[in-house]
Amino acid sequence: REWATPLTCLETAEQLLRNYAIDPRTRDLVNNLDIFLLPSANPDGAHYSMHNFASQRRNMTNHCVVGGKETDDPNAASFWTPLVNPGTGQPYTATDPAARNAWGVDLNRNSTVGTIFDGYIGASYSCTSDVFTGPAEASEPEIKNELWIADTFRNIKFSNNIHSFGGYFMW
């Protein structure tokens, strides 16, 4: 659903490159800052949104079953066994791979600060919720990559996060 965000990042990169040669202030910024552009924090979900289900907001990792993650062993006896919904205690029913509109992690709710794991509201423990927080803080590789950048480059002073679907501008 965030189709404009990658284009905004590419436009930012293009403007920095174009103006570098002609604008002293831009040249000074580029020469004295480490600039990281992340066009899409959710490439698999974005691809699915563009081609299959326009309302997709989550990534494509299925935490409703044993076998929904790349690291799960396809030869395990429990492969593709439904996991239990922590809210109801019942096994999940949206386990078929064709039910992919029903599952996935909302990456906006999978970080390490201000999450459901810290007692904040606005997310869910259910893998079939549109605001599923994931099985643990930073459980998703997309978030781990973002955290790696923040942890590796300790001098970051500003972050800009554009959400085109909701019209948000956050920093």
Side-chain angles (χ1 to χ4, degrees), residues 8-138:
T8 304
C9 287
L10 291 174
E11 177 69 16
T12 300
E14 192 272 335
Q15 290 294 322
L16 287 171
L17 291 171
R18 181 179 303 275
N19 292 320
Y20 183 86
I22 59 173
D23 179 51
R25 178 70 179 132
T26 301
R27 190 169 32 258
D28 183 55
L29 286 171
V30 172
N31 287 343
N32 293 298
L33 295 173
D34 292 324
I35 299 172
F36 300 90
L37 297 174
L38 178 63
S40 177
N42 185 12
D44 59 340
H47 183 270
Y48 189 70
S49 168
M50 289 178 195
H51 298 283
N52 300 94
F53 181 59
S55 294
Q56 180 70 16
R57 64 174 284 137
R58 297 160 286 169
N59 71 5
M60 300 305 296
T61 302
N62 185 351
H63 288 286
C64 295
V65 296
V66 174
K69 299 182 290 295
E70 283 187 31
T71 55
D72 290 341
D73 181 5
N75 298 314
S78 62
F79 190 73
W80 222 257
T81 302
L83 295 173
V84 173
N85 181 325
T88 66
Q90 299 298 312
Y92 286 110
T93 57
T95 57
D96 188 317
R100 65 186 63 174
N101 296 359
W103 41 257
V105 175
D106 180 351
L107 298 174
N108 294 322
R109 289 160 174 79
N110 187 244
S111 197
T112 57
V113 177
T115 69
I116 196 171
F117 301 104
D118 302 322
Y120 288 86
I121 61 171
S124 173
Y125 291 110
S126 172
C127 73
T128 56
S129 169
D130 206 32
V131 291
F132 176 46
T133 192
E137 287 184 331

